[in-house]
Amino acid sequence: MIKKFILKTAYFILPAVFLFGISLIGLIRTESPDVLRMGMIPNIYKHYRDRFDLSEKENFERLSKTKKRKFDFLTMGDSFSEQKGYGYNHFLAEKYTTLHVDEFISNNQIQTLINLINGDFFEHFTIKYVVLQNVERHFIDNIIGINFDTKIKQKQIDSLILNHHKELKENKADSEFFSRSTLQFPLYYMPKFFICKDYLSNDLIYNYNLNSKKLFSNGSDKLLFYKYDIISLAESNKISNIVLLNNVLNKISQKLQEKNVKLIVLPAPDKYDMYYDYIANKTNLEKPLFFEHLRTLKKEYLYINSKEILKSHMNLEQDIYFYDDTHWSPVASQIIVKEIDRVIHKR
């Protein structure tokens, strides 16, 4: 009787254990690599990131921790500015004193920079250059409802820092044995990765075939990118929006110049835009125009044409962007810093 019960139980349990084992091995649950996690893409290149030095140690100072008050550069941005020991601001700090405004303080970095200018931040800190970084897909969103009259005082910043507590985000559903992902990944998403092409995975990540296997060091011809790279084109391809953005940036630059500070604008290209020319089948895929529009406009700030600079290296170096992530790699970070260095000395 007991033996029969055990056999019947095993009949149901063993397949679940097998599926869980596949998910445990091939499914990414950590924050990074983000496209694998969001798209439930199988992690088949286990040693892909071994070639990179993905250090946690940062050369730059953080506003939330620093006691210093004099810097060559102030950097502000989104997750492209939060890459720790392999981001552009880390490499920038190897040559120049660099202060970074933590993302939890900046939120919308454009509005936050205006708030800092109108407040007393630049009375407390001596800064030569401000690097304003913004990923392409969110640049237009971040100027909607922009207010040039708001401000933030140093005391308010100190209060934000004091009250800030990092929350450990745990996805309990994914950590459970019998979770939806335990079944979906091995039975649906993993087979689909090997069988299908040019599709949307888990309603978040596009998987398109490239016309080259030389762009990534793992030899993959897959382009994995965030669906909002395409959704955002509805606004970022409008020349009127780019003109408005440029006007906002020019006005910010004017305000900074009154404080003897120079503005450097650093757009981070969407991965889709960066690799668009290499997509094998572009049928029904809209061409990104953000950088083309912005390039033609008169600027009163220092401009890093990151797409142009990075594309010029794509035939020379692999992994400009990570294969398995939405972000650029340390390869691109170092290229960007060389361009920043060139631009400030060109003046």
Coordinates of all heavy atoms in Angstrom, one line a residue, residues 110-180:
I110 N 16.4 65.2 -15.3 CA 16.3 66.6 -16.0 C 15.6 67.5 -15.0 O 16.1 68.6 -14.7 CB 15.5 66.5 -17.3 CG1 16.2 65.6 -18.3 CG2 15.4 67.9 -17.9 CD1 15.4 65.4 -19.6
Q111 N 14.5 67.1 -14.4 CA 13.8 68.0 -13.4 C 14.7 68.2 -12.2 O 14.8 69.3 -11.6 CB 12.5 67.4 -13.0 CG 11.7 68.2 -12.1 CD 11.2 69.5 -12.7 OE1 10.5 69.6 -13.6 NE2 11.8 70.6 -12.2
T112 N 15.4 67.1 -11.8 CA 16.2 67.2 -10.6 C 17.4 68.2 -10.8 O 17.7 69.0 -9.9 CB 16.8 65.8 -10.2 OG1 15.7 65.0 -9.9 CG2 17.7 65.9 -8.9
L113 N 18.0 68.2 -12.0 CA 19.0 69.2 -12.3 C 18.5 70.6 -12.2 O 19.2 71.5 -11.6 CB 19.6 68.9 -13.7 CG 20.8 69.8 -14.1 CD1 21.9 69.9 -13.1 CD2 21.3 69.4 -15.5
I114 N 17.3 70.8 -12.7 CA 16.7 72.2 -12.6 C 16.5 72.5 -11.2 O 16.8 73.7 -10.8 CB 15.4 72.2 -13.4 CG1 15.6 72.0 -14.9 CG2 14.6 73.5 -13.1 CD1 14.3 71.8 -15.7
N115 N 16.0 71.6 -10.4 CA 15.8 71.8 -8.9 C 17.1 72.2 -8.2 O 17.1 73.0 -7.3 CB 15.2 70.6 -8.3 CG 13.8 70.3 -8.8 OD1 13.2 71.1 -9.5 ND2 13.3 69.1 -8.5
L116 N 18.2 71.5 -8.6 CA 19.5 71.8 -8.0 C 20.0 73.2 -8.4 O 20.6 73.9 -7.5 CB 20.5 70.7 -8.4 CG 20.3 69.3 -8.0 CD1 21.4 68.4 -8.5 CD2 20.3 69.2 -6.4
I117 N 19.8 73.5 -9.6 CA 20.2 74.8 -10.1 C 19.5 75.9 -9.4 O 20.1 76.9 -8.9 CB 20.0 75.0 -11.6 CG1 20.9 74.0 -12.4 CG2 20.3 76.4 -12.1 CD1 20.6 73.9 -13.9
N118 N 18.2 75.8 -9.2 CA 17.4 76.8 -8.5 C 17.6 76.8 -7.0 O 17.2 77.8 -6.4 CB 15.9 76.6 -8.8 CG 15.6 76.8 -10.3 OD1 16.3 77.5 -11.0 ND2 14.5 76.2 -10.8
G119 N 18.1 75.7 -6.5 CA 18.3 75.6 -5.0 C 19.7 76.2 -4.7 O 20.3 77.0 -5.4
D120 N 20.3 75.6 -3.6 CA 21.6 76.1 -3.2 C 22.7 75.1 -3.4 O 23.8 75.2 -2.8 CB 21.5 76.5 -1.7 CG 21.0 75.4 -0.8 OD1 20.7 74.3 -1.3 OD2 20.9 75.7 0.4
F121 N 22.4 74.0 -4.2 CA 23.4 73.0 -4.4 C 24.8 73.5 -4.9 O 25.8 73.1 -4.3 CB 22.9 71.9 -5.4 CG 23.8 70.8 -5.7 CD1 23.9 69.7 -4.9 CD2 24.7 70.9 -6.8 CE1 24.8 68.7 -5.2 CE2 25.6 69.9 -7.1 CZ 25.7 68.8 -6.3
F122 N 24.7 74.4 -5.9 CA 26.0 74.9 -6.4 C 26.6 76.0 -5.6 O 27.7 76.5 -5.9 CB 25.7 75.4 -7.9 CG 25.4 74.3 -8.8 CD1 24.1 73.9 -9.2 CD2 26.5 73.5 -9.4 CE1 23.9 72.9 -10.0 CE2 26.2 72.5 -10.3 CZ 24.9 72.2 -10.6
E123 N 26.0 76.3 -4.5 CA 26.7 77.1 -3.4 C 27.5 76.2 -2.5 O 28.5 76.6 -1.9 CB 25.6 77.9 -2.7 CG 24.9 78.9 -3.5 CD 23.7 79.6 -2.8 OE1 23.7 79.5 -1.5 OE2 22.8 80.1 -3.5
H124 N 27.0 75.0 -2.3 CA 27.7 74.0 -1.4 C 28.8 73.2 -2.2 O 29.7 72.8 -1.6 CB 26.7 73.1 -0.8 CG 25.8 73.7 0.2 ND1 26.0 73.8 1.5 CD2 24.5 74.3 0.0 CE1 25.1 74.4 2.1 NE2 24.1 74.7 1.2
F125 N 28.6 73.0 -3.5 CA 29.5 72.2 -4.3 C 30.1 73.0 -5.4 O 29.4 73.8 -6.1 CB 28.8 71.0 -4.8 CG 28.4 70.0 -3.8 CD1 27.2 70.0 -3.2 CD2 29.3 68.9 -3.5 CE1 26.8 69.1 -2.2 CE2 28.9 67.9 -2.6 CZ 27.7 68.1 -1.9
T126 N 31.4 72.9 -5.6 CA 32.0 73.5 -6.8 C 32.2 72.4 -7.9 O 32.8 71.4 -7.7 CB 33.4 74.0 -6.4 OG1 33.3 75.0 -5.3 CG2 34.1 74.6 -7.6
I127 N 31.5 72.7 -9.0 CA 31.5 71.7 -10.1 C 31.9 72.5 -11.4 O 31.5 73.6 -11.6 CB 30.1 71.2 -10.3 CG1 29.5 70.6 -9.0 CG2 30.0 70.2 -11.5 CD1 30.2 69.3 -8.6
K128 N 32.7 71.8 -12.2 CA 33.1 72.3 -13.5 C 32.1 71.9 -14.7 O 31.7 72.7 -15.5 CB 34.5 71.9 -13.9 CG 35.6 72.5 -13.0 CD 37.0 72.0 -13.4 CE 38.0 72.5 -12.5 NZ 39.4 72.0 -12.9
Y129 N 31.8 70.6 -14.7 CA 30.9 70.1 -15.7 C 29.8 69.2 -15.1 O 30.1 68.5 -14.2 CB 31.7 69.2 -16.7 CG 32.8 69.9 -17.5 CD1 34.1 69.9 -17.0 CD2 32.6 70.5 -18.7 CE1 35.2 70.5 -17.7 CE2 33.6 71.1 -19.4 CZ 34.9 71.1 -18.9 OH 35.9 71.8 -19.6
V130 N 28.7 69.3 -15.7 CA 27.6 68.4 -15.4 C 27.3 67.5 -16.6 O 27.1 68.0 -17.7 CB 26.3 69.1 -15.0 CG1 25.1 68.1 -14.9 CG2 26.4 69.9 -13.7
V131 N 27.4 66.2 -16.3 CA 27.0 65.2 -17.4 C 25.6 64.7 -17.1 O 25.3 64.1 -16.1 CB 28.0 64.0 -17.4 CG1 27.5 63.0 -18.4 CG2 29.4 64.4 -17.7
L132 N 24.7 65.1 -18.0 CA 23.3 64.7 -17.9 C 23.1 63.6 -18.9 O 23.0 63.7 -20.1 CB 22.4 65.9 -18.3 CG 20.9 65.7 -18.2 CD1 20.5 65.3 -16.8 CD2 20.1 66.9 -18.7
Q133 N 23.0 62.4 -18.3 CA 22.7 61.2 -19.1 C 21.3 60.8 -19.0 O 20.6 60.8 -18.0 CB 23.7 60.0 -18.6 CG 23.5 58.7 -19.3 CD 22.4 57.8 -18.6 OE1 22.3 57.7 -17.4 NE2 21.5 57.3 -19.4
N134 N 20.7 60.3 -20.2 CA 19.4 59.9 -20.2 C 19.2 58.9 -21.3 O 19.7 59.1 -22.5 CB 18.4 61.1 -20.5 CG 17.0 60.9 -20.0 OD1 16.6 61.7 -19.2 ND2 16.3 59.9 -20.4
V135 N 18.6 57.7 -21.0 CA 18.4 56.7 -22.1 C 17.4 57.3 -23.1 O 16.4 58.0 -22.8 CB 17.9 55.4 -21.5 CG1 16.5 55.5 -20.9 CG2 18.0 54.3 -22.5
E136 N 17.6 56.9 -24.3 CA 16.8 57.5 -25.5 C 15.3 57.3 -25.3 O 14.5 58.3 -25.5 CB 17.3 56.7 -26.7 CG 16.5 57.1 -28.0 CD 17.0 56.3 -29.2 OE1 18.1 55.6 -29.1 OE2 16.4 56.4 -30.3
R137 N 14.8 56.1 -24.8 CA 13.4 55.9 -24.8 C 12.7 56.7 -23.7 O 11.4 56.8 -23.8 CB 13.1 54.4 -24.5 CG 13.7 53.8 -23.2 CD 13.4 52.3 -23.1 NE 14.2 51.8 -22.0 CZ 15.3 51.2 -22.2 NH1 15.9 51.1 -23.4 NH2 16.0 50.7 -21.2
H138 N 13.4 57.3 -22.8 CA 12.7 58.1 -21.7 C 13.0 59.6 -21.8 O 12.5 60.3 -21.0 CB 13.2 57.6 -20.4 CG 12.7 56.2 -20.0 ND1 11.4 55.8 -20.3 CD2 13.3 55.1 -19.4 CE1 11.3 54.5 -19.9 NE2 12.4 54.1 -19.4
F139 N 13.8 60.0 -22.8 CA 14.2 61.4 -22.9 C 13.0 62.3 -23.1 O 12.9 63.3 -22.4 CB 15.2 61.6 -24.0 CG 16.4 62.4 -23.6 CD1 17.7 62.0 -24.1 CD2 16.4 63.4 -22.7 CE1 18.8 62.7 -23.7 CE2 17.5 64.1 -22.3 CZ 18.8 63.7 -22.8
I140 N 12.1 62.0 -24.0 CA 10.9 62.8 -24.2 C 10.0 62.8 -23.0 O 9.5 63.8 -22.6 CB 10.2 62.4 -25.5 CG1 11.1 62.5 -26.7 CG2 9.0 63.2 -25.7 CD1 11.8 63.9 -26.9
D141 N 9.8 61.6 -22.5 CA 8.9 61.5 -21.3 C 9.4 62.4 -20.1 O 8.6 62.9 -19.4 CB 8.9 60.0 -20.8 CG 8.1 59.1 -21.7 OD1 7.3 59.6 -22.5 OD2 8.3 57.9 -21.5
N142 N 10.7 62.5 -20.0 CA 11.3 63.3 -18.9 C 11.2 64.8 -19.0 O 11.5 65.5 -18.0 CB 12.7 62.9 -18.6 CG 12.9 61.5 -17.9 OD1 11.9 61.0 -17.4 ND2 14.1 61.0 -17.9
I143 N 10.7 65.3 -20.2 CA 10.5 66.7 -20.3 C 9.1 67.1 -20.3 O 8.7 68.3 -20.3 CB 11.2 67.3 -21.5 CG1 10.6 66.7 -22.8 CG2 12.7 67.1 -21.5 CD1 11.0 67.5 -24.1
I144 N 8.2 66.1 -20.3 CA 6.8 66.4 -20.2 C 6.4 67.0 -18.8 O 6.7 66.4 -17.8 CB 5.9 65.1 -20.5 CG1 6.1 64.6 -21.9 CG2 4.4 65.4 -20.2 CD1 5.5 63.3 -22.2
G145 N 5.8 68.1 -18.8 CA 5.5 68.8 -17.5 C 6.7 69.3 -16.8 O 6.6 69.6 -15.6
I146 N 7.8 69.6 -17.5 CA 9.0 70.1 -16.8 C 8.7 71.5 -16.2 O 8.0 72.3 -16.8 CB 10.2 70.2 -17.8 CG1 11.5 70.0 -17.1 CG2 10.2 71.4 -18.7 CD1 11.9 68.6 -16.8
N147 N 9.2 71.7 -15.1 CA 9.0 73.0 -14.4 C 10.3 73.7 -14.0 O 11.1 73.2 -13.3 CB 8.2 72.7 -13.1 CG 7.7 74.0 -12.4 OD1 8.2 75.1 -12.6 ND2 6.6 73.8 -11.6
F148 N 10.5 74.9 -14.6 CA 11.7 75.6 -14.4 C 11.7 76.5 -13.1 O 12.7 77.2 -12.9 CB 12.0 76.5 -15.6 CG 12.8 75.7 -16.7 CD1 12.1 75.1 -17.7 CD2 14.2 75.6 -16.7 CE1 12.8 74.4 -18.7 CE2 14.9 74.9 -17.6 CZ 14.2 74.3 -18.7
D149 N 10.7 76.4 -12.4 CA 10.6 77.2 -11.1 C 10.8 76.5 -9.9 O 10.9 77.1 -8.8 CB 9.2 77.9 -11.1 CG 9.0 78.9 -12.3 OD1 10.0 79.6 -12.6 OD2 7.9 78.9 -12.8
T150 N 10.8 75.1 -9.9 CA 10.9 74.3 -8.7 C 12.4 74.3 -8.3 O 13.3 74.5 -9.1 CB 10.4 72.9 -8.9 OG1 11.1 72.3 -10.0 CG2 8.9 72.9 -9.1
K151 N 12.6 74.0 -7.0 CA 13.9 73.9 -6.5 C 14.0 73.0 -5.3 O 13.0 72.6 -4.7 CB 14.4 75.3 -6.0 CG 13.6 75.9 -4.9 CD 14.1 77.3 -4.6 CE 13.3 78.0 -3.5 NZ 13.7 79.4 -3.2
I152 N 15.2 72.6 -5.0 CA 15.5 71.7 -3.8 C 16.7 72.3 -3.1 O 17.7 72.6 -3.7 CB 15.7 70.2 -4.2 CG1 15.8 69.3 -3.0 CG2 16.9 70.1 -5.1 CD1 15.7 67.9 -3.3
K153 N 16.6 72.4 -1.8 CA 17.6 72.9 -0.9 C 18.5 71.7 -0.5 O 18.1 70.6 -0.4 CB 17.1 73.6 0.3 CG 16.3 74.9 -0.1 CD 17.3 76.0 -0.4 CE 16.5 77.4 -0.5 NZ 17.5 78.5 -0.8
Q154 N 19.7 72.1 -0.1 CA 20.7 71.1 0.4 C 20.1 70.3 1.6 O 20.3 69.1 1.8 CB 22.0 71.7 0.8 CG 23.1 70.7 1.1 CD 23.4 69.7 0.0 OE1 23.5 70.1 -1.2 NE2 23.6 68.5 0.3
K155 N 19.4 71.0 2.5 CA 18.8 70.4 3.7 C 17.8 69.3 3.3 O 17.7 68.3 3.9 CB 18.1 71.5 4.5 CG 19.1 72.3 5.3 CD 18.3 73.3 6.2 CE 19.3 74.1 7.1 NZ 18.6 75.1 7.9
Q156 N 17.1 69.6 2.2 CA 16.1 68.6 1.7 C 16.8 67.4 1.1 O 16.4 66.2 1.3 CB 15.2 69.2 0.6 CG 14.3 70.3 1.1 CD 13.6 71.0 0.0 OE1 14.1 71.9 -0.7 NE2 12.3 70.6 -0.3
I157 N 17.9 67.6 0.4 CA 18.7 66.5 -0.1 C 19.3 65.6 1.1 O 19.2 64.4 1.0 CB 19.9 67.0 -1.0 CG1 19.4 67.8 -2.2 CG2 20.8 65.9 -1.4 CD1 20.4 68.5 -3.0
D158 N 19.8 66.3 2.1 CA 20.3 65.6 3.3 C 19.2 64.8 3.9 O 19.5 63.7 4.4 CB 20.9 66.6 4.3 CG 22.1 67.3 3.8 OD1 22.8 66.8 2.9 OD2 22.5 68.4 4.3
S159 N 18.0 65.3 3.9 CA 16.9 64.6 4.5 C 16.5 63.3 3.7 O 16.3 62.3 4.2 CB 15.7 65.5 4.6 OG 14.6 64.8 5.2
L160 N 16.6 63.5 2.4 CA 16.3 62.4 1.5 C 17.3 61.3 1.7 O 17.0 60.1 1.8 CB 16.4 62.8 0.0 CG 15.2 63.5 -0.6 CD1 15.5 64.0 -2.0 CD2 14.0 62.5 -0.7
I161 N 18.6 61.6 1.8 CA 19.7 60.7 2.1 C 19.5 60.0 3.4 O 19.6 58.8 3.5 CB 21.0 61.4 2.0 CG1 21.3 61.9 0.5 CG2 22.2 60.4 2.4 CD1 22.5 62.8 0.4
L162 N 19.2 60.7 4.4 CA 19.0 60.2 5.8 C 17.9 59.2 5.8 O 18.0 58.2 6.5 CB 18.8 61.4 6.7 CG 18.7 61.0 8.2 CD1 20.1 60.5 8.7 CD2 18.3 62.2 9.1
N163 N 16.8 59.5 5.1 CA 15.6 58.6 5.2 C 15.6 57.5 4.2 O 14.7 56.7 4.1 CB 14.4 59.5 5.0 CG 14.2 60.5 6.1 OD1 14.5 60.2 7.3 ND2 13.6 61.7 5.8
H164 N 16.6 57.5 3.4 CA 16.7 56.4 2.3 C 17.1 55.1 2.9 O 18.1 55.0 3.5 CB 17.6 56.8 1.2 CG 17.8 55.8 0.2 ND1 16.7 55.4 -0.7 CD2 18.8 55.0 -0.2 CE1 17.2 54.4 -1.5 NE2 18.4 54.2 -1.2
H165 N 16.3 54.1 2.6 CA 16.6 52.7 3.0 C 16.4 51.8 1.8 O 15.3 51.8 1.3 CB 15.8 52.3 4.2 CG 15.9 53.1 5.4 ND1 17.1 53.0 6.2 CD2 15.1 54.0 6.0 CE1 16.9 53.9 7.2 NE2 15.8 54.5 7.1
K166 N 17.4 51.1 1.4 CA 17.3 50.2 0.3 C 16.4 49.0 0.7 O 16.6 48.4 1.8 CB 18.7 49.7 -0.2 CG 19.5 50.8 -0.9 CD 20.8 50.2 -1.4 CE 21.5 51.2 -2.2 NZ 22.8 50.7 -2.7
E167 N 15.5 48.7 -0.1 CA 14.6 47.6 0.1 C 15.0 46.4 -0.7 O 15.3 46.5 -1.9 CB 13.1 48.0 -0.2 CG 12.6 49.1 0.6 CD 11.1 49.4 0.2 OE1 10.6 48.8 -0.7 OE2 10.6 50.3 0.8
L168 N 15.2 45.3 -0.1 CA 15.5 44.1 -0.8 C 14.2 43.5 -1.4 O 13.3 43.2 -0.7 CB 16.1 43.0 0.2 CG 17.4 43.4 0.8 CD1 17.8 42.3 1.8 CD2 18.5 43.5 -0.3
K169 N 14.2 43.6 -2.7 CA 13.0 43.1 -3.5 C 13.1 41.6 -3.7 O 14.0 41.2 -4.4 CB 12.9 43.9 -4.8 CG 12.7 45.4 -4.6 CD 12.6 46.1 -5.9 CE 12.5 47.6 -5.7 NZ 12.4 48.3 -7.0
E170 N 12.2 40.9 -3.2 CA 12.2 39.5 -3.4 C 10.9 39.0 -4.2 O 9.8 39.4 -3.9 CB 12.2 38.7 -2.1 CG 13.4 39.0 -1.2 CD 13.4 38.3 0.1 OE1 12.4 37.6 0.3 OE2 14.3 38.4 0.8
N171 N 11.2 38.3 -5.3 CA 10.1 37.8 -6.0 C 9.7 36.4 -5.5 O 10.3 35.4 -5.9 CB 10.5 37.7 -7.5 CG 9.3 37.4 -8.4 OD1 8.3 36.8 -7.9 ND2 9.3 37.8 -9.6
K172 N 8.8 36.4 -4.6 CA 8.5 35.2 -3.9 C 7.9 34.1 -4.8 O 8.2 32.9 -4.6 CB 7.5 35.4 -2.7 CG 8.1 36.3 -1.6 CD 7.1 36.5 -0.5 CE 7.7 37.3 0.6 NZ 6.8 37.5 1.8
A173 N 7.2 34.6 -5.8 CA 6.6 33.6 -6.7 C 7.7 32.8 -7.5 O 7.5 31.6 -7.6 CB 5.7 34.3 -7.7
D174 N 8.7 33.5 -7.9 CA 9.8 32.8 -8.6 C 10.6 31.9 -7.7 O 11.3 31.1 -8.2 CB 10.7 33.9 -9.3 CG 10.1 34.3 -10.6 OD1 9.1 33.7 -11.1 OD2 10.6 35.3 -11.2
S175 N 10.6 32.2 -6.4 CA 11.5 31.4 -5.5 C 10.8 30.1 -5.1 O 11.3 29.2 -4.5 CB 11.9 32.2 -4.3 OG 10.7 32.5 -3.5
E176 N 9.5 30.1 -5.4 CA 8.7 28.9 -4.9 C 8.9 27.7 -5.9 O 9.2 27.9 -7.1 CB 7.2 29.3 -4.9 CG 6.9 30.3 -3.8 CD 5.4 30.7 -3.9 OE1 4.7 30.3 -4.8 OE2 5.0 31.5 -3.0
F177 N 8.8 26.5 -5.3 CA 9.0 25.3 -6.2 C 7.9 25.2 -7.2 O 8.2 25.1 -8.4 CB 8.9 24.1 -5.2 CG 9.2 22.8 -6.0 CD1 10.5 22.4 -6.3 CD2 8.1 22.0 -6.4 CE1 10.7 21.2 -7.0 CE2 8.3 20.8 -7.1 CZ 9.6 20.4 -7.3
F178 N 6.6 25.3 -6.8 CA 5.5 25.3 -7.8 C 5.1 26.7 -8.2 O 4.1 27.2 -7.7 CB 4.4 24.5 -7.2 CG 4.6 23.0 -7.0 CD1 4.9 22.5 -5.8 CD2 4.6 22.2 -8.1 CE1 5.1 21.2 -5.6 CE2 4.9 20.8 -8.0 CZ 5.1 20.3 -6.7
S179 N 5.9 27.3 -9.0 CA 5.6 28.7 -9.5 C 5.2 28.6 -11.0 O 5.5 27.6 -11.7 CB 6.8 29.6 -9.3 OG 7.8 29.2 -10.1
R180 N 4.6 29.7 -11.4 CA 4.2 29.7 -12.8 C 5.4 29.6 -13.8 O 5.4 29.0 -14.8 CB 3.4 31.0 -13.1 CG 2.9 31.1 -14.5 CD 1.7 32.1 -14.6 NE 2.0 33.3 -14.0 CZ 1.1 34.4 -14.0 NH1 0.0 34.3 -14.6 NH2 1.4 35.5 -13.4

